[in-house]
Amino acid sequence: MISLLLYQLTGIHLFEDRTFRAGAAFFLATALVFLGMPWWIRFLKRYNATSDFEQGKREPPPILGGMMLVFAVLLTSLCFAQLNAYSVSTLIILVTYAAVGAVDDLAKIRNKRLVALGKMSRADYQAKADGISARVRLLLYLGLSFVIAIFAYKFIPGLTGQISVPFVKPEIWFPSLPNWAFIILMTLVITSTANGANFTDGLDSLVSVPLITTSLFAGVVAYFSGNVVFARYFLIPHLPGADELFPICMSLVGALSAYLWYNSPPAEIYMGDTGAIGLGGAVGIIFVLLKIELFLPIVGVVLVVELLSVALQITGFKLTRRLSADGQGARLLLRAPYHHHLQLKWQGRFDSPQAVNSKIIWRFHLISIFTLGLGLLIFFKIR
C-alpha cells in the first residue's frame, strides 16, 4: 500500500493515520472515476456496449460503468487500506460478485447485437438477456459469500457471532448466534444486499445514493469501533482491525459520488450488474463484519424495500396461482421492484414520465439521507 510505503520512507506518521488514509482514499477514488469515466464512456460507445434500444434521437447510454467503479475502489483500497482479514474479505466479495455481474452485462450486449443483426427477436432478447440464469446466479452468490463467511469467521478473532441490536447497549443485551447460524446469516445478508442493490438500479442514480449513505454509515462505525477509546466512550463493540474498512468505505463513497456526475438524469452511463452486484455485496459484508446487520434495514431501507418487493411479488403470485381455482395468480404490486410500481401508480399525477421518475428518485434519495442520520443517532446515542 502506498501510504505504508510513504511512512516507511519518510517516517511521517501522517501517512499511517487512518483518518488521512480514509480521506486520501475518498479523493483518489473520486478523481479516478471523475477523470476516467469520460474516456470509459467513449470506449464503450465505440463498441456499442449498450443493452437498451434507441428511443427517439437519444443514443442509449452504455452499461459496464460498474467496471470503472470497481477498479477505482479496488485500486484505492489497495493503496490506503492495510490488508487484514476485514479488508481482504471485503475486496474478494467486491471482485467476485462484480465478475458474476459482468457476465450478465456482457451477455446483454452480445444479445442486443444479435437482435440488430436479425439473429434474435426482441422477445427472445428479453428472455435471454441474462448470461447466467437467475437460479445459477443466486447459487453463485450464496456459494461465494458462504466461503468468504467461513474465511472471515476463522481469521477474524472478534467475529464471534455477536450482533449489535438497535436501541440496546451491548452491555445490556449483545446476542450471540451459534457458529453455523452466524455463517448462514452472513451469507444471506451479503447476498441479499447485493440483490437489493441490483433491483434498485432501475432508474438514473437511484441506487447510487443508498450505496453512498450505507457506505458512509459503515465507515463512521468502522472508524469508532476500531479505536478502543472511542468504542469505550460510545459503548459500542471494540473491533481491532476493523478500522481498515474505513478507507474502503470512503473509497466507495468517493467513487459513487463521482459516478453521480455522469449517472444523474439523464444518465450518460449505467453501472450495470457489474457495479450494482459488486458494490452491493461489498456493503453487505462490511455491515456483517462490523456487527451492524440489524442496522441495514434502517440505513439501507431503500435497498431492503426494493428486495422485499420483488420477493413478495414472486412469492405471492406463485402462491395465489396455486390456490386459485382458475390458475390465475394475484400480484401484490402493479410491478416489481417497488419503484416500477410507483411509476405505474403515479401515471397522470405529473406532467410526463420523466417528471414521475424524477419525483421517485428524489424521494428515495431523501429517504436515504434521512435514514443515514437516523441510523447514526440510534447507533451512537439512542441505546
Side-chain angles (χ1 to χ4, degrees):
M1 52 181 289
I2 290 179
S3 59
L4 181 60
L5 178 61
L6 290 174
Y7 169 67
Q8 292 174 344
L9 291 176
T10 64
I12 300 176
H13 288 280
L14 176 68
F15 293 121
E16 68 167 354
D17 179 76
R18 63 173 178 248
T19 307
F20 169 81
R21 291 190 284 116
F26 170 83
F27 285 110
L28 178 58
T30 301
L32 286 173
V33 175
F34 187 79
L35 299 176
M37 193 62 79
W39 169 83
W40 186 237
I41 292 173
R42 291 193 298 270
F43 175 81
L44 293 175
K45 283 185 175 181
R46 186 184 310 158
Y47 293 96
N48 194 27
T50 66
S51 60
D52 293 341
F53 295 95
E54 293 186 13
Q55 296 181 354
K57 298 181 179 179
R58 182 170 181 253
E59 184 181 359
I63 56 176
L64 290 174
M67 281 191 175
M68 175 63 71
L69 298 178
V70 171
F71 169 77
V73 172
L74 180 62
L75 178 62
T76 304
S77 299
L78 292 175
C79 288
F80 295 106
Q82 296 184 21
L83 296 181
N84 60 14
Y86 285 100
S87 56
V88 170
S89 299
T90 301
L91 295 179
I92 290 176
I93 284 292
L94 170 69
V95 173
T96 55
Y97 268 46
V100 177
V103 173
D104 281 337
D105 287 337
L106 292 172
K108 292 172 186 176
I109 295 170
R110 174 183 177 275
N111 290 340
K112 188 203 168 187
R113 291 176 180 174
L114 292 178
V115 173
L117 294 172
K119 298 181 180 180
M120 179 183 292
S121 67
R122 289 203 179 190
D124 289 338
Y125 169 77
Q126 295 296 332
K128 299 178 181 179
D130 293 335
I132 305 176
S133 69
R135 182 173 299 179
V136 173
R137 192 166 60 246
L138 180 60
L139 290 175
L140 282 173
Y141 295 148
L142 290 171
L144 290 169
S145 56
F146 182 74
V147 172
I148 296 301
I150 294 176
F151 168 82
Y153 197 88
K154 182 176 181 181
F155 290 101
I156 298 178
L159 201 63
T160 56
Q162 293 176 311
I163 302 173
S164 296
V165 180
F167 303 105
V168 181
K169 296 178 182 178
E171 61 188 32
I172 296 176
W173 188 38
F174 199 21
S176 181
L177 298 177
N179 297 357
W180 61 270
F182 186 65
I183 290 175
I184 292 176
L185 177 66
M186 290 179 66
T187 302
L188 293 177
V189 169
I190 297 168
T191 304
S192 298
T193 308
N195 280 284
N198 195 32
F199 291 138
T200 307
D201 187 29
L203 295 175
D204 297 349
S205 83
L206 190 62
V207 73
S208 301
V209 173
L211 288 176
I212 288 173
T213 54
T214 49
S215 298
L216 189 57
F217 175 81
V220 173
V221 173
Y223 176 79
F224 288 104
S225 296
N227 185 290
V228 63
V229 177
F230 290 149
R232 185 180 297 117
Y233 176 79
F234 286 106
L235 302 177
I236 59 177
H238 173 49
L239 306 174
D243 49 353
E244 293 307 322
L245 294 175
F246 188 27
I248 297 178
C249 289
M250 294 312 296
S251 68
L252 286 166
V253 174
L256 286 162
S257 298
Y259 171 70
L260 278 174
W261 186 273
Y262 303 99
N263 184 243
S264 55
E268 300 173 58
I269 190 169
Y270 301 138
M271 70 168 64
D273 290 358
T274 308
I277 292 293
L279 301 178
V283 168
I285 192 172
I286 289 172
F287 268 71
V288 171
L289 296 177
L290 295 173
K291 303 184 178 182
I292 51 175
E293 305 95 323
L294 298 184
F295 284 84
L296 192 55
I298 299 174
V299 184
V301 63
V302 169
L303 305 178
V304 173
V305 167
E306 293 281 66
L307 175 67
L308 289 178
S309 68
V310 174
L312 292 175
Q313 182 86 326
I314 295 174
T315 303
F317 180 80
K318 290 183 177 180
L319 183 61
T320 53
R321 184 175 62 179
R322 182 175 299 178
L323 296 177
S324 64
D326 58 359
Q328 297 296 318
R331 288 179 170 84
L332 177 66
L333 304 173
L334 297 176
R335 188 180 174 191
Y338 185 61
H339 63 266
H340 288 322
H341 169 79
L342 295 178
Q343 282 179 307
L344 296 176
K345 185 178 180 180
W346 290 352
Q347 282 182 346
R349 286 184 55 182
F350 303 98
D351 295 336
S352 65
Q354 290 76 18
V356 173
N357 291 346
S358 178
K359 184 67 67 174
I360 294 170
I361 292 167
W362 273 104
R363 288 184 175 177
F364 275 39
H365 289 350
L366 290 172
I367 290 171
S368 295
I369 295 170
F370 172 78
T371 54
L372 168 62
L374 180 63
L376 290 171
L377 181 64
I378 294 172
F379 185 81
F380 287 105
K381 285 298 180 182
I382 306 179
R383 301 170 67 86

